[in-house]
Amino acid sequence: MSVKMSVPRGGTVALDNVQGDLRVGEDATVNGKGVPLRLTVAGSVYCEGDDVFDCSLSAESLEAEGDVTIRGDLEIKDSVAVEDGRLEVHGSLSAKQVDVDEALIVSRDLTVEDVEVGGHLRADGNVKAEEVDVGGRFEAKGEVEAKDVDVGGSLSIESRASIEHLDIGGKATVAGGKIREIDVGGSFESKAPLEFEEIDVGGVVRLADGNKGGRVEVGGSFKVDGDLQFDEIDVGGKVEMSGSGEGRGMSVGGKAEVGGSLKLTENLEVGGKIEVEGEVSAKNVEVGGVLRSRKATAQEGVEVGGSIDTAEGVTARFVEIGKRGEVRGPIRADEVIIGKDAHVETIYGKKVTIRTGAFAENVYGEDVSVESNCRIRGETQYVNELKVNGNVSFGQPPKKVEKLP
């Protein structure tokens, strides 16, 4: 038989089992029985606020208007709802749904389907949930496993995270793990290796070494302290990578800096500026802005409308330097086209075409065509044919050879 029981305002009672609902008046204390102290309620618990359960509590549901403290574990089959107050659990908390207006503090593990906290959520143990929605601050010392985490303020996870989708409006810090989708309007930092599929950065992102990810879209700034494996990076803001990068493709409209090498299986497009300490390799390289690297290699083509500055040169099947483009370092390709008024150093190619008004230091080609008003300051060597159209300045007389250097 269902029995309703009440605890008067300011009262103190000791209970072990309630075969129905329990109503607790304001500023009351409920002690459990047994070892360890425990209270089991068959129905629902209603609290008027500023109530303390000096024991572990299990019930069908918990509703409160004001603060509630559980000095033990809290096991709820259905839902927890706390209006205009905070819920503090000194042990672990398990429930289907938890909705707390001000703050939820859990000293051990938090296991729920959905949790929504308007202010502060802190769990000193592990967190396992489908959805976590925090308007203010979310702190977890243990591991966090969740489908969706939405934080309007700040997030701190001190152990590994396993999250499908993370949406951060403020600042977030994690200790690595696997987060499939990360949407950052504020700032995000991972202090240990992180695996991800997508990061959308409107603010600031910083990753530790040893990361593996998918697509990165940067409108703000993206910094990696080490190496990064990725699918694609689209930079409208700034990317800094202290180590090497390896991925499918990169588009830079802002600025990118890579401390090691950059290896791409598809295309590199630079409308802004990219600086790479080591070698850049890609299927195609298109530079409308500035590319600086030790060496640039493309499986297919390199097109330059801006400038490329290398120590060891550019190597590709096809290289085209656009009008007023500039290349520092040697060019090696099957076919090379130097556009009008472009400025290059040494060219090695099977077929070399130099358009009107261009400048080159040295030219070595099997078949070479030079248009008017060009200047070649050093050597010009060819194997098969040299075509000269109009007035061309040669620093040394062109030489037909059997083999190029």
Side-chain angles (χ1 to χ4, degrees):
M1 184 176 70
S2 177
V3 177
K4 292 184 178 181
M5 183 170 291
S6 297
V7 179
R9 177 177 180 177
T12 300
V13 297
L15 301 170
D16 56 357
N17 286 282
V18 176
Q19 300 302 316
D21 298 336
L22 174 64
R23 180 174 290 276
V24 182
E26 188 178 0
D27 199 25
T29 300
V30 179
N31 297 318
K33 293 183 179 181
V35 180
L37 297 174
R38 186 175 187 84
L39 169 59
T40 301
V41 179
S44 299
V45 177
Y46 304 91
C47 297
E48 294 181 2
D50 295 324
D51 296 315
V52 176
F53 289 82
D54 200 2
C55 58
S56 293
L57 172 66
S58 62
E60 188 71 24
S61 64
L62 171 64
E63 295 181 23
E65 295 183 8
D67 297 344
V68 176
T69 300
I70 312 292
R71 292 176 179 163
D73 296 331
L74 178 60
E75 299 174 10
I76 301 297
K77 292 181 180 179
D78 192 8
S79 63
V80 175
V82 179
E83 295 183 6
D84 300 324
R86 54 188 281 139
L87 173 62
E88 187 171 338
V89 180
H90 292 184
S92 296
L93 189 160
S94 62
K96 286 184 178 179
Q97 284 85 31
V98 176
D99 188 345
V100 180
D101 279 356
E102 294 183 5
L104 172 61
I105 310 297
V106 181
S107 297
R108 295 178 65 188
D109 297 339
L110 173 63
T111 306
V112 295
E113 290 182 5
D114 303 323
V115 56
E116 183 174 350
V117 180
H120 178 203
L121 169 58
R122 191 188 81 200
D124 293 339
N126 297 327
V127 176
K128 187 174 182 180
E130 285 289 312
E131 295 189 9
V132 178
D133 191 339
V134 181
R137 186 167 77 256
F138 176 21
E139 299 172 290
K141 291 186 177 179
E143 296 184 357
V144 174
E145 180 181 347
K147 182 178 179 182
D148 295 307
V149 176
D150 191 334
V151 181
S154 63
L155 166 71
S156 174
I157 301 175
E158 296 183 17
S159 299
R160 190 180 187 276
S162 178
I163 299 170
E164 286 288 305
H165 180 76
L166 179 62
D167 193 334
I168 306 157
K171 179 181 179 181
T173 305
V174 301
K178 184 175 181 180
I179 304 177
R180 193 168 66 85
E181 294 180 354
I182 303 170
D183 193 341
V184 185
S187 64
F188 175 85
E189 180 179 4
S190 179
K191 296 185 176 180
L194 179 70
E195 185 176 347
F196 63 90
E197 288 186 12
E198 183 174 345
I199 294 182
D200 190 340
V201 188
V204 178
V205 169
R206 182 167 185 168
L207 302 181
D209 192 11
N211 302 282
K212 183 178 180 181
R215 188 173 185 275
V216 179
E217 186 170 349
V218 184
S221 66
F222 180 72
K223 186 171 184 179
V224 181
D225 295 326
D227 301 333
L228 177 66
Q229 293 183 16
F230 58 92
D231 181 37
E232 290 187 356
I233 294 181
D234 188 345
V235 187
K238 184 177 181 181
V239 169
E240 295 178 80
M241 198 180 304
S242 66
S244 295
E246 184 174 346
R248 192 162 65 89
M250 179 180 284
S251 176
V252 182
K255 183 177 181 181
E257 298 176 358
V258 181
S261 61
L262 179 63
K263 184 178 180 180
L264 305 175
T265 58
E266 292 295 331
N267 300 334
L268 171 63
E269 299 178 7
V270 183
K273 183 177 182 180
I274 183 169
E275 297 181 351
V276 181
E277 289 293 326
E279 180 180 354
V280 172
S281 61
K283 185 176 182 180
N284 290 287
V285 176
E286 184 177 342
V287 182
V290 178
L291 166 62
R292 288 197 178 104
S293 66
R294 178 174 57 81
K295 183 180 179 181
T297 304
Q299 297 173 18
E300 294 187 3
V302 174
E303 297 182 22
V304 182
S307 68
I308 292 181
D309 187 347
T310 68
E312 298 181 17
V314 176
T315 303
R317 186 181 62 81
F318 172 78
V319 173
E320 181 174 5
I321 312 303
K323 185 177 181 180
R324 288 190 289 274
E326 185 173 348
V327 177
R328 293 184 63 185
I331 298 172
R332 297 176 177 88
D334 290 342
E335 183 176 1
V336 180
I337 298 175
I338 308 300
K340 292 182 178 181
D341 300 318
H343 193 113
V344 301
E345 294 187 349
T346 300
I347 303 169
Y348 300 90
K350 291 182 179 179
K351 182 179 180 181
V352 179
T353 302
I354 304 176
R355 302 294 189 198
T356 303
F359 171 89
E361 289 285 350
N362 302 288
V363 177
Y364 304 98
E366 293 182 6
D367 295 284
V368 178
S369 176
V370 185
E371 295 182 357
S372 62
N373 298 319
C374 289
R375 183 186 175 198
I376 301 173
R377 185 160 61 183
E379 291 185 318
T380 301
Q381 295 185 14
Y382 63 98
V383 175
N384 300 319
E385 184 179 24
L386 171 64
K387 291 182 180 180
V388 179
N389 299 317
N391 182 31
V392 175
S393 173
F394 291 101
Q396 298 180 25
K399 184 185 296 184
K400 183 177 173 65
V401 297
E402 292 185 1
K403 186 178 179 180
L404 296 172

